[in-house]
């Protein structure tokens, strides 16, 4: 039995590689999917495909429809969603993806540094599991697959 | 025919009163619901009902379960959700509520200042309508109810 | 027991008035809802609320999000959807609304002139009932409410 | 991980072959499905299987039930739906399939020439992504599968 | 709190009147709905509204679409479905309505004479409650409404 | 706006009266529903309506189908479910009702004495809110309805 | 891409073998599932597994729960349901399975001899396709899989 | 065609091994999943991953979120759920899992000793099949897979 895990959240650090490496070293039967991790590509994809837009808001609208399309297709395939919040950025799309996962009955692990507990308290309460590190999230995944 | 509108978002300004007053002056058949607007009460409700918790994270967990319960009960009743983002705060619960509304097929109006267009681009793309002011949101609501 | 009927379709003739008048004369306990029927208002509503857009495609996108919002809110309330196709115009939003109704398990009456049977054959097959005139649709509605 | 893409829309040009060829050249792990593309066969399939019907409307009803059955079976399997509108024909079944996809939470790419923007504005607003050419749609698909 | 009960099944005896009378005498807050009970009207409604059809099968198809439309509209409103099987007739539409109710999570009471237990064993197993008389069904309804 | 609250759980103490009295004194717009509270009646209802059964297991089966029917009808009407666990009895039907509520997206308040925290830990984690007393549950309800 | 087809209906003729043979000869990638076809085994399975029951009604109840369990497990796996009605027997479980398939959005082919058109008119109207012979049903299946 | 069966219930006896051995000896194409069976590990997993908690209730909350996460991920994969009740323990999580399975339309086999019939009567009535021994449950599974 194979599992698909969607990795939502910031694309400025290499936390996804860390997770993939650990899963590999543990031989977990997991395929990882997630958003476009090349930040500029993600911001520019709308104009890259659809051509020049009349201003920044329209450029963002063009990009976001394609990024949301990618997320929808891949999250529909996912058995589990992991959402990581970092110290920086607004990260509202991470919150959006995490909430969509919960509402679609996709089990969700939330990773956040402890000092973000207050602004994330409602999302943490809705998540199935809240942890503080990528390593803890991996232990939760591994626990599910232990027999 | 009556409508219920859930007003998600920050509780530091009086935007909800503005909306309610306009709806009243237009005689729109709308009942407005939303989160607890008294900020300290919202943060303290967990300990108020359940007693002292062993630290801030646990206090937040206690409060958030009751605030999320309130949101779930009232949003289930809602025909429309309006989510407002302001300049300040993380507002991750606003993003969470907005995304839950979309996923539950509740039509969503997103209100955000134009300068937040970039971090909100994915949520804006998913919302049914995005506007910049409370007044514009009211015009959208009024348009739905015109015959 | 009251019923809500959404009247989808062209806004260039007065077929909705015809239906409402008959329902009134038969004392049927039905509230009718539907799209904005003032054609220019419907096309201009995006710019009216959101301000000038950079070109026709963007003007249309601004208008359509508000018109779709109206349809979603009102169709969610509907027990029955009636979709009327006329001889003119592309009417793809009528087909969209009719198909959404079917997929959402809202019973659908399709009204179309017989000479449109070929291009509407798939939609007609999916509709619960297909008729040729507004009068026949009214007879179907009245039949449901007979005791 | 494999994906299934349903290609809805006109069967008078070879746009499906164009898409399949590009997917093959890019080694994308996609299986494409869609309606019967042999136009006469699609129109005649009702009488071919069920025998002579009493007139054109009945012939169309017989054919459409089998064509809709094919669409339902194959769209249920699809992870993504692409709907293409061309310059000619009513294409109401394309609008019907596109709207069904949206309502069933199947991510949708709409392809339409820019000059059709006005009559397709509501459907375009509901689609996840709107593009103008088959080539752009392929770029969107490829973007989803980039890692 | 009011309840709506859909009464599915044969239209050749007056069992619906019996139920309505008892509910009235017990002051139960129930509105009863159901199929057209005038048998000829039900069989002829297709041709009555749509005009002459080319043969019996087509006449039946025309009538059944309107009868199914009525059932769909009214069953969507129902909190409870009661399905009665009698000694005569095929009653496949009764089985169809009962099974639709179960699948839609509408609580179902099945009424059947004991000697039909064998052919109805699968449907009886799926029903929430199986009884043998109209009077027993009424007692079940009354029990739900006791406080 | 009115709310319906289903009160699941033991029928050996008068906790439901306590809740109803408090709601009344606070003027909360709530209708309370729940299982048959007369214990013998609940156990005997199967034989009372359907006649003597061949042994205890069959008597229980007859009663449980009618009690489950009552629960289904009333829980479908509920906006909120409150489930109370006491010190005595197996209370598996309470766990069943609580879990059904969660799965149906009905917000759930769990009331249990603290010393039952270990055997109820999984259900408590799934509940929206867990409290220890009827009085605390009432405070949660009242908090939802504060404006 | 493989398909699973559930074959509902009478177990007194060898129509399932006929379908399986044709699918094999056409190399269709279909796995067929269905009810227990050994009639006595199907009737006796309750007592075979659970032991002697106190009378025929209880024997039937024991058997039907296991037969319905089989149907539920296998129909959940199915992409398509084919339901065949013959001249004999009540066949209410066939109607039940067919209606469950429709309600669960599983595409349904109904096979019935023309002379049963009247009592099956409502079910036929709800089915996606109605045919008269096993051979016609096979042609419909083959048409879906043509590329 | 392969099947996944979730084995809910007590983790103090080796009933799962018994089932797996029988399925193996019968060559049934079934993958079995279930909760963590090492009891102490299951109770301690919260603190093992998240660190020391401030007391027993918090330790249980930490463990239960991870155990519930495991159950959600694996039950989402399951085609069938088997829930076994034994003579000892509260087993409220077993009742919770069984009820979740039913509500999610996952076919459920309940195994319980006959002397527990009274407290389990409502859950037994909702289960698809109730048996008394592991061996009987295996016979039911084998019956589904007979061709």
């Amino acid at each position: 039995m194979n599992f698909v895990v969607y990795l939502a959240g910031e694309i400025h650090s290499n936390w996804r590689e860390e997770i993939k490496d650990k899963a590999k070293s543990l031989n977990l039967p997991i395929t990882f999917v997630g958003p476009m991790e090349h930040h500029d590509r993600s911001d520019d994809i709308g104009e890259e495909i659809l051509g020049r837009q009349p201003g920044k808001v329209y450029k963002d609208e063009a990009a976001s429809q394609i990024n949301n399309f990618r997320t929808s297709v891949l999250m529909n395939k996912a058995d589990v969603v992991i959402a990581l919040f970092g110290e920086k950025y607004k990260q509202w799309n991470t919150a959006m993806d995490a909430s969509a996962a919960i509402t679609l009955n996709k089990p969700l692990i939330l990773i956040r540094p402890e000092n973000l507990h207050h602004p994330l308290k409602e999302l943490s309460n809705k998540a199935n599991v809240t942890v503080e590190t990528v390593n803890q999230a991996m232990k939760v995944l591994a626990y599910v697959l232990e027999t």
Side-chain angles (χ1 to χ4, degrees), chain A:
Chain A
M1 206 161 39
N2 292 289
F3 295 83
V4 177
V5 176
Y6 187 92
L7 301 171
E10 54 127 319
I11 57 177
H12 302 275
S13 74
N14 68 339
W15 67 280
R16 285 181 184 80
E17 291 320 302
E18 201 182 331
I19 282 189
K20 287 176 196 171
D21 287 350
K22 280 184 187 158
K24 208 171 187 175
S25 71
L26 292 166
N27 272 322
L28 301 181
I30 298 178
T31 303
F32 292 97
V33 293
M36 166 55 58
E37 293 176 55
H38 186 316
H39 190 267
D40 289 348
R41 183 109 214 276
S42 166
D43 274 2
D44 297 341
I45 188 65
E47 294 199 333
E48 183 187 317
I49 293 181
L50 298 168
R52 223 2 150 62
Q53 302 298 310
K56 285 182 183 176
V57 173
Y58 298 95
K59 176 187 167 179
D60 276 358
E61 168 61 18
S64 65
Q65 68 172 306
I66 296 171
N67 285 315
N68 278 345
F69 177 79
R70 177 176 166 133
T71 302
S72 294
V73 174
L74 297 178
M75 200 187 280
N76 280 351
K77 290 283 202 185
D79 299 301
V80 167
V81 174
I82 297 179
L84 178 143
F85 281 83
E87 304 280 359
K88 291 190 290 188
Y89 309 105
K90 299 289 192 187
Q91 305 175 81
W92 286 322
N93 50 356
T94 308
M96 176 185 87
D97 291 346
S99 180
I102 295 161
T103 314
L104 291 168
N105 196 27
K106 308 260 179 193
L108 173 74
I109 302 173
L110 184 68
I111 309 177
R112 57 114 183 81
E114 193 187 338
N115 64 323
L116 288 180
H117 75 85
H118 189 67
L120 278 169
K121 65 182 189 297
E122 276 82 18
L123 200 48
S124 171
N125 171 259
K126 273 200 168 182
N128 299 60
V129 177
T130 298
V131 299
E132 292 175 24
T133 67
V134 164
N135 200 33
Q136 289 173 328
M138 272 317 292
K139 284 183 182 163
V140 174
L141 274 190
Y143 179 76
V144 171
L145 299 174
E146 264 182 63
T147 47

